[in-house]
Amino acid sequence: MRSLQAGDPVWVGPYRILARLGSGGMGVVYLARSPGARLAALKVIRPEFADGAAFRERFRREVAAASKVSGLYTAPVLDSDADAPQPWFAAGYVPAPTLDEALASTGTLPESAVRALGAGLAEALQAIHGVGLVHRDLKPGNILLAEDGPKIIDFGIAKVTDATQLTGTGAMMGTAAYMAPEQITESKDAGPAADVFSLAGVLVYAATGTRPFGERDPATVLYEVMYEEPSLDGVPASLRELLAACLVKEPAGRPALESVLAALTPVDPRALNSPALRQEVAAREAEASRVSAEPVTPPPPPPRVDDAETAKVGRRRILGLATAVAMVGIGAGATGWTLTRGNSKPARPAPRGTALAAAPPPAWTFTPTRPISGTSTVLVADGVVLWGGEQEMYGVAADSGRQLWTKDKANAEYSGNVAHGPTFVALGGVVGDFEDQTITLVDARTGRTTNLPRPLGVTSSSVLGVVGDTVVVRSPGDVWALDLTSGEIRWHLSDQGLTSGAVDQTSVYLSTDPSLAALDPVTGRERWVRTWPESGGARDGASLDIAVAGGRVFGNFGDTLQAVDTATGRPVWSRDTDRQFDTVVPAGANVIFKKEVLRAYDQATGAARWTLAGPEPFAGEGGHIAATGALVAAAFNAPAGPSQGFLVTGTDGRALWAHWGPADTQRGWEVAVSGSSVFATDHKRLYRFEAGR
């Protein structure tokens, strides 16, 4: 339970808002008090979901159906308003921890408690399905462990089974780790069997502390839900066959809830009602009583931006007052705004100004013994930062900034290096000497090198990647696959339409005009080719950059952003675009397209997540951006003038801070990200910053 925040309401309908209970993708849940002093959990739907009569009609029907479910299995619905500016509904407040909270506090459940939990949830789902509802988001955070048994809450994305025509929001509904395959494909078959699938996932988590389809980024989890078998390691042997049956891919192959309940019973009614649970419930009851009895502290007013004042100051000052998040889409957790040069006009809704923080002091700074020559690049592997220019390469300890090793003549072509496990793969040799060119393998920790001579005629400007023992290099119009142990040519492809390439663990992907192809890395044979029809737009043709993640290839082909299945070449999703992006980067569950701004889309569905403008336009060439599952760092350059630097943001689109400073070349700063660390160079020094949150 938390205090109210800026922008939280004081009243919702007849309910007095007391505190925050939590928030999720669909809205915010408050502790509220009715006129008769009854406590309620009141959920207010986010504005972006409420824009349209279809949503409101669906919301009205779902609340009506949910109100028919017995309070034995859910928190009873008390009141609602589908016609309010932000629709809301109030349910009885249950002073109980969620299953997530209980497991975090006490650890996994013994078999007897897992059976009691499963039987209670199966009974609750029977009651829910009996009134025509399918929950579609059953997960540990939506299950309360009350003293009289588990209760299922949050019908915010439930589906009325006889009103499927009202559910077409265009967005995938559910939570990746517990979502059934038919929910991922947005199938009309996402009915009661989808809740059976989710129930099994919850029970696996309760028994083992791990989810059946891994703990990685959501896009990878979605892929595994669709195509991989669940991991049931640690599940009690007596439950393994039942849960495996509930987790089969085809809905028709899963057992009915009646069969699930029969397999779980009889149960010990005391198995879940432990002394620790009773103590937690008592503490929550006491806290709710205290909050209800005390005078309510109103939420602080939202910060304001004075347009008359901001019009008087320059662009940097405007961005310092309120910056960075622009047009945040559904699921990003906030709605932001855009800025233009000159007078600043807020887009919908009015901005809440927050200062863009300056970068924290560097955790360390590494200054080389002799200046870096030309433009340098940064890579991270195995706790070592590779930093090099045209004539030298340094290995620097990521944690301390201590120099581990240095190499000469190892990085002649600065754009050509990649990290492959604990090894850096670099295009090296002497600048301008085409007979002294090598592929250099550098052990990250020791700096030991292995030089592979490039065969005569092989010219290359970058390493696309390494697949097994094949290294794939490219030059404008050519791709070469070389044996990583001998340097011998495995295959060569010449195509003047080549613009970009990428690799994953199974294939090489090449973007040419006007197609995308997947090749066998050993033989070079085509596995599939996807040809783009001419749209008549201004940007028909190949993508300037492509990226691979979660079983998909992402690119900006013609006037569309595309995700293509890596196994088949079939399109997964497509989005129209009004510009050509120069860089594509996977970032957590999103994929980010970079030009002057950053645009993030959900990897699995293509749903727009957020658009981010920096203090200056982001660097207009390929690269200059790095991302992990939690962080993004991107360099920016003023179109005219010396302003340079880089912005650090979360993968949710929330800007954290920016660093301003001159770079030693017109290309600007180069960045790399690893964990919570951002490594950056102005081509004179190497810095490590801790991102912070």
Side-chain angles (χ1 to χ4, degrees):
M1 197 174 298
R2 300 188 299 276
S3 300
L4 298 178
Q5 301 178 8
D8 283 339
V10 177
W11 292 88
V12 174
Y15 290 85
R16 184 67 161 96
I17 302 301
L18 306 177
R20 273 190 170 222
L21 293 175
S23 62
M26 292 292 290
V28 181
V29 182
Y30 300 99
L31 180 68
R33 186 175 58 214
S34 75
R38 183 174 184 177
L39 291 181
L42 188 146
K43 184 164 188 173
V44 179
I45 303 300
R46 298 189 189 279
E48 57 264 32
F49 287 93
D51 187 15
F55 175 87
R56 291 176 183 273
E57 177 61 22
R58 177 164 59 92
F59 178 84
R60 185 178 291 108
R61 295 189 63 167
E62 289 177 355
V63 170
S67 65
K68 299 176 184 177
V69 182
S70 166
L72 177 63
Y73 308 109
T74 68
V77 175
L78 306 176
D79 201 355
S80 66
D81 188 352
D83 298 314
Q86 289 181 249
W88 58 270
F89 70 90
Y93 174 64
V94 180
T98 65
L99 178 60
D100 247 347
E101 293 169 333
L103 294 176
S105 174
T106 62
T108 58
L109 301 182
E111 181 181 348
S112 60
V114 173
R115 286 183 171 274
L117 173 66
L121 294 177
E123 246 186 274
L125 288 173
Q126 282 181 317
I128 291 168
H129 295 170
V131 299
L133 277 177
V134 180
H135 193 282
R136 297 202 300 174
D137 196 24
L138 187 67
K139 59 185 178 182
N142 282 342
I143 297 166
L144 295 177
L145 295 185
E147 285 190 290
D148 59 347
K151 297 182 185 293
I152 297 176
I153 60 171
D154 198 348
F155 289 84
I157 63 170
K159 168 185 164 184
V160 179
T161 55
D162 62 353
T164 55
Q165 72 275 12
L166 298 176
T167 65
T169 64
M172 181 176 59
M173 295 296 208
T175 300
Y178 303 97
M179 192 182 299
E182 60 268 28
Q183 290 177 266
I184 298 172
T185 59
E186 301 181 68
S187 168
K188 293 182 180 179
D189 296 328
D195 285 346
V196 173
F197 188 96
S198 302
L199 169 62
V202 167
L203 297 184
V204 171
Y205 184 65
T208 68
T210 60
R211 301 176 179 91
F213 295 97
E215 307 286 333
R216 288 175 285 179
D217 64 274
T220 302
V221 172
L222 291 177
Y223 180 85
E224 293 193 0
V225 169
M226 288 292 296
Y227 302 112
E228 302 292 342
E229 293 303 312
S231 172
L232 300 180
D233 294 342
V235 173
S238 66
L239 293 174
R240 194 167 300 170
E241 184 177 351
L242 171 66
L243 298 185
C246 294
L247 290 168
V248 301
K249 308 302 183 188
E250 291 297 327
R254 298 171 204 147
L257 282 170
E258 292 81 358
S259 300
V260 174
L261 190 57
L264 291 171
T265 52
V267 299
D268 179 356
R270 301 165 298 174
L272 274 177
N273 195 7
S274 65
L277 175 63
R278 292 193 293 272
Q279 184 177 357
E280 178 65 22
V281 168
R284 288 172 185 257
E285 287 177 336
E287 183 182 19
S289 297
R290 177 187 59 78
V291 171
S292 179
E294 291 178 349
V296 180
T297 302
R304 302 179 64 86
V305 176
D306 187 341
D307 284 341
E309 179 65 24
T310 57
K312 298 177 184 178
V313 296
R315 187 171 188 269
R316 174 69 58 76
R317 174 61 176 158
I318 293 171
L319 287 160
L321 288 170
T323 190
V325 183
M327 299 183 297
V328 181
I330 291 172
T335 300
W337 56 299
T338 55
L339 293 170
T340 58
R341 294 185 181 275
N343 291 343
S344 173
K345 297 293 185 182
R348 56 181 177 91
R352 295 179 181 175
T354 55
L356 177 60
W364 51 253
T365 301
F366 173 73
T367 303
T369 54
R370 64 180 184 182
I372 285 283
S373 56
T375 302
S376 59
T377 53
V378 186
L379 292 172
V380 186
D382 200 27
V384 178
V385 186
L386 169 76
W387 179 41
E390 292 179 350
Q391 294 291 332
E392 56 283 302
M393 178 188 296
Y394 292 95
V396 180
D399 57 353
S400 65
R402 178 174 58 90
Q403 179 179 315
L404 301 176
W405 47 262
T406 183
K407 299 293 177 185
D408 293 333
K409 299 180 182 181
N411 194 33
E413 300 172 39
Y414 67 85
S415 65
N417 305 333
V418 299
H420 176 60
T423 303
F424 296 114
V425 183
L427 301 178
V430 177
V431 176
D433 186 346
F434 294 103
E435 293 185 358
D436 186 4
Q437 299 290 293
T438 62
I439 295 174
T440 302
L441 311 181
V442 185
D443 182 271
R445 299 300 301 179
T446 66
R448 288 195 300 268
T449 59
T450 302
N451 292 320
L452 303 178
R454 275 187 272 179
L456 187 64
V458 175
T459 60
S460 55
S461 58
S462 64
V463 181
L464 293 183
V466 178
V467 189
D469 59 356
T470 301
V471 58
V472 184
V473 298
R474 66 157 295 194
S475 60
D478 291 277
V479 178
W480 309 82
L482 309 177
D483 187 292
L484 194 57
T485 57
S486 66
E488 295 179 354
I489 298 174
R490 286 190 163 169
W491 50 267
H492 166 235
L493 176 66
S494 179
D495 189 335
Q496 296 304 312
L498 177 68
T499 60
S500 55
V503 305
D504 63 7
Q505 295 179 344
T506 62
S507 298
V508 180
Y509 306 94
L510 302 178
S511 173
T512 60
D513 200 354
S515 64
L516 176 70
L519 309 181
D520 183 282
V522 177
T523 66
R525 287 195 296 268
E526 287 183 350
R527 289 179 166 165
W528 51 258
V529 177
R530 166 80 173 155
T531 301
W532 310 107
E534 293 187 5
S535 66
R539 293 171 300 280
D540 282 336
S543 181
L544 299 178
D545 187 30
I546 60 175
V548 188
R552 297 171 179 85
V553 185
F554 305 97
N556 181 183
F557 301 98
D559 291 330
T560 62
L561 308 178
Q562 298 274 351
V564 177
D565 185 89
T566 56
T568 64
R570 289 194 294 266
V572 178
W573 54 259
S574 174
R575 295 289 179 267
D576 292 338
T577 181
D578 58 355
R579 68 185 66 197
Q580 183 83 26
F581 294 90
D582 56 45
T583 307
V584 188
V585 180
N590 297 327
V591 58
I592 296 176
F593 293 84
K594 179 186 76 69
K595 188 67 173 176
E596 295 88 352
V597 298
L598 306 181
R599 289 189 182 176
Y601 297 83
D602 186 278
Q603 286 188 22
T605 67
R609 291 308 185 197
W610 46 263
T611 298
L612 185 65
E616 301 287 354
F618 291 107
E621 301 173 348
H624 301 283
I625 182 172
T628 63
L631 290 176
V632 182
F636 54 78
N637 292 327
S643 181
Q644 294 177 317
F646 59 93
L647 175 72
V648 175
T649 179
T651 51
D652 58 1
R654 182 170 61 92
L656 301 178
W657 48 262
H659 175 81
W660 281 271
D664 205 36
T665 74
Q666 292 183 344
R667 283 178 55 88
W669 289 75
E670 298 286 343
V671 292
V673 180
S674 178
S676 63
S677 299
V678 177
F679 302 93
T681 182
D682 57 3
H683 312 291
K684 291 183 178 179
R685 298 176 180 85
L686 178 66
Y687 305 87
R688 173 190 157 208
F689 296 86
E690 278 303 295
R693 295 301 293 174

